[in-house]
Amino acid sequence: VTCLQLVDHYLERISSQSHLNAFVDVYSEEARESAKLIDQKLSTGNAGRLAGLVVGIKDVLSHKGHELQSASQILKSYKAPYTATAVQRLLDEDAIIIGRQNCDEFAMGSSNENSSLGPVLNAADNSRVPGGSSGGSAVAVQAGLCHASLGSDTGGSVRQPAAFCGVVGLKPSYGRVSRWGLVAYASSFDCVGPITKSVEDAALLLEVIAGADQFDSTVSQKSVPSYSSALSWNGKARIGYIKESLESESIAPSIRRNTQELLDKLKREGHDVQPVEMSLLQYLLPTYYILTTAEASSNLSRFDGVRYGHRSEDSRDLESMYKLSRTEGFGDEVRKRILLGTFVLSANYYDAYYTKAQRVRRLVQEETQRFFEQFDFFISPVTPTTAFKIGEKSEDPIQVYLADIFTVHANVIGYPAISIPNGSDESGLPVGIQVMARPFEEEKMLAFTSYLS
Ligand code: GLN
């Protein structure tokens, strides 16, 4: 098949599956033009490593000249003035960008219900959420609307929707992939990561997008291994699992059984599988939500009605323009987080919340580091339940926050983690399993997960 045929195939799929609402923008003509160019390159034998790979990108990644909305009304009609490094690196290797994918507004959410562009439907069961915030990106891969997607993961947004949709989601170590051109949610947590059908594809995409970047000083200078050619695992792994993570009441029995069965199987295969007690587990979510809302309130202060997107028609003076533009432009969840973040950063509460959360962050890092002296990997469920019904949890935001319990750990401490499909529950909904490794040990993590899958 030619690249052009591939693009036409995906364009046809996107339009026949448009009820899923996975894409918010499709670059039909542009994708077809680049496919023709790449077909020419292929015929002369000088095409890039991703030639013919048709990719969708989450609506938080800049792509020069294309709209970038973060699924928010405040950025309506805004066009990106430059291209994100991760996206540019895909283009440089001749990947074809087919469109922009729906997500929770400013990547805040776990169900895609916070998008101002409408919910995304899980292709396994259209009455259920795809997870979030990279819901459109996960569904696009699940439903065969593109080959792979690029999402962002601040507290699970690549791994959790991947688990709900039965695909692979990889969150690299903090600083492995440049954040240049990624709309900031919580800068010390944000990571760009691929969503794919297989571990092999995730490895290949990571090796293309990772590595030093003059535009992002938080990116590591470490060289990038050839992840995709190191995907074999032999030998025994030392695996830890957090004891409470399997015993807690709030975990669905099917998820517990699924994780337990995998751990038992690994034991039978001779791997060293041990429970650990993580004394700081109960502090993970509060730490995550205090620090991310604090960072978000600061990052989102740039949307003031002056520099980007929406400006209120009804403003009378400068102050009312700020207020009205922000009130009209931001959705409820984003407003809530800005308020929370402003509160934890306010002079009277700064030490009680922000400083304390930073200290706990350090303690979690130290405790986890101690565990990893004895283990190669941590294995856990990705989520406490399988995909829930659309609307089911909208009345209970705390329940939604609690569902991030397994994924936020990796972001709080900057470790890499991956979610891979691991069967399904009794009603046939996908179940994922999470593997977390030491910082910058993606190579090992990918080799091991390719052995698992
Ligand atoms: N669900 C988490 C949140 O709402 C994670 C989001 C993300 O990783 N972007 O913050």
Side-chain angles (χ1 to χ4, degrees):
V1 287
T2 63
C3 295
L4 186 58
Q5 286 169 323
L6 270 177
V7 166
D8 284 338
H9 161 78
Y10 285 124
L11 289 173
E12 200 281 309
R13 290 282 305 160
I14 292 173
S15 88
S16 72
Q17 302 295 305
S18 60
H19 65 285
L20 298 174
N21 202 21
F23 279 88
V24 293
D25 208 352
V26 183
Y27 312 140
S28 314
E29 275 325 299
E30 191 184 337
R32 297 188 81 243
E33 288 312 311
S34 16
K36 287 181 202 162
L37 275 176
I38 293 163
D39 278 327
Q40 264 168 26
K41 283 195 188 179
L42 279 167
S43 66
T44 55
N46 61 359
R49 280 184 288 171
L50 301 183
L53 200 84
V54 179
V55 183
I57 57 174
K58 182 178 179 180
D59 187 20
V60 290
L61 287 159
S62 308
H63 185 193
K64 189 173 177 174
H66 298 78
E67 283 183 22
L68 171 66
Q69 210 180 327
S70 296
S72 179
Q73 288 309 309
I74 208 157
L75 278 176
K76 197 171 160 52
S77 317
Y78 173 75
K79 286 206 169 102
Y82 58 88
T83 298
T85 298
V87 174
Q88 188 59 51
R89 288 185 181 171
L90 296 182
L91 292 169
D92 290 346
E93 291 295 343
D94 290 332
I96 298 164
I97 312 281
I98 198 157
R100 193 159 59 95
Q101 295 160 330
N102 204 343
C103 58
D104 283 303
E105 185 176 357
F106 287 106
M108 297 175 184
S110 312
S111 66
N112 225 297
E113 293 168 291
N114 297 339
S115 168
S116 80
L117 304 168
V120 176
L121 315 186
N122 193 316
D125 172 348
N126 289 177
S127 69
R128 292 178 188 272
V129 304
S133 61
S134 315
S137 307
V139 168
V141 175
Q142 173 193 35
L145 313 184
C146 58
H147 200 114
S149 303
L150 222 47
S152 67
D153 190 312
T154 303
S157 278
V158 158
R159 291 160 288 154
Q160 185 256 19
F164 277 7
C165 294
V167 295
V168 173
L170 167 63
K171 182 203 97 72
S173 310
Y174 184 77
R176 181 73 290 189
V177 178
S178 169
R179 289 180 293 113
W180 170 255
L182 168 70
V183 177
Y185 160 13
S187 314
S188 76
F189 295 75
D190 296 342
C191 292
V192 175
I195 297 180
T196 56
K197 280 261 188 234
S198 67
V199 174
E200 288 71 16
D201 285 351
L204 180 62
L205 282 181
L206 180 65
E207 102 192 19
V208 168
I209 63 175
D213 178 20
Q214 57 166 324
F215 299 123
D216 178 356
S217 60
T218 62
V219 182
S220 165
Q221 300 294 317
K222 281 191 176 57
S223 66
V224 179
S226 172
Y227 301 116
S228 62
S229 54
L231 286 175
S232 74
W233 179 271
N234 30 52
K236 302 298 173 215
R238 296 169 308 161
I239 297 156
Y241 65 93
I242 299 174
K243 209 160 141 266
E244 302 91 316
S245 77
L246 285 185
E247 288 169 359
S248 157
E249 288 282 298
S250 53
I251 297 159
S254 58
I255 301 270
R256 200 177 313 158
R257 207 175 319 118
N258 180 290
T259 309
Q260 192 63 60
E261 278 169 11
L262 178 73
L263 293 172
D264 291 344
K265 175 171 157 278
L266 289 168
K267 255 186 234 174
R268 284 197 305 278
E269 290 172 359
H271 300 282
D272 181 17
V273 181
Q274 303 286 345
V276 295
E277 272 174 68
M278 190 175 162
S279 61
L280 299 170
L281 187 69
Q282 56 176 313
Y283 301 112
L284 273 178
L285 280 171
T287 304
Y288 171 80
Y289 275 100
I290 289 170
L291 294 177
T292 55
T293 53
E295 292 187 23
S297 73
S298 161
N299 275 326
L300 271 58
S301 66
R302 76 191 65 186
F303 302 109
D304 53 8
V306 179
R307 286 166 289 180
Y308 305 87
H310 176 74
R311 177 178 304 169
S312 176
E313 305 276 331
D314 303 328
S315 46
R316 300 168 309 276
D317 50 22
L318 186 65
E319 174 104 6
S320 73
M321 184 197 57
Y322 290 155
K323 282 190 181 156
L324 289 170
S325 303
R326 287 168 68 81
T327 305
E328 291 163 8
F330 289 133
D332 289 349
E333 182 65 26
V334 176
R335 277 214 294 270
K336 182 163 72 192
R337 295 196 191 198
I338 292 173
L339 289 171
L340 261 171
T342 308
F343 173 76
V344 301
L345 287 176
S346 60
N348 286 339
Y349 298 100
Y350 191 91
D351 283 337
Y353 293 101
Y354 185 74
T355 310
K356 191 179 273 176
Q358 287 288 31
R359 291 201 181 121
V360 178
R361 186 179 202 179
R362 169 56 69 89
L363 292 175
V364 172
Q365 205 151 28
E366 287 170 1
E367 184 171 51
T368 312
Q369 209 172 343
R370 273 199 305 280
F371 289 143
F372 271 90
E373 283 164 13
Q374 301 161 52
F375 297 110
D376 303 301
F377 309 111
F378 258 27
I379 286 186
S380 71
V382 186
T383 52
T385 65
T386 47
F388 47 88
K389 295 256 186 208
I390 294 174
E392 183 183 326
K393 302 204 179 181
S394 17
E395 297 305 308
D396 195 353
I398 302 290
Q399 275 308 313
V400 179
Y401 292 173
L402 289 177
D404 293 333
I405 178 79
F406 300 123
T407 47
V408 298
H409 188 185
N411 302 77
V412 167
I413 59 181
Y415 280 37
I418 187 169
S419 163
I420 58 166
N422 190 40
S424 49
D425 71 1
E426 53 287 325
S427 42
L429 293 168
V431 176
I433 194 94
Q434 174 172 251
V435 178
M436 183 163 104
R438 288 189 205 102
F440 295 92
E441 293 200 349
E442 280 89 350
E443 189 172 7
K444 209 164 126 181
M445 182 176 85
L446 287 161
F448 184 66
T449 37
S450 105
Y451 157 84
L452 287 184
S453 53

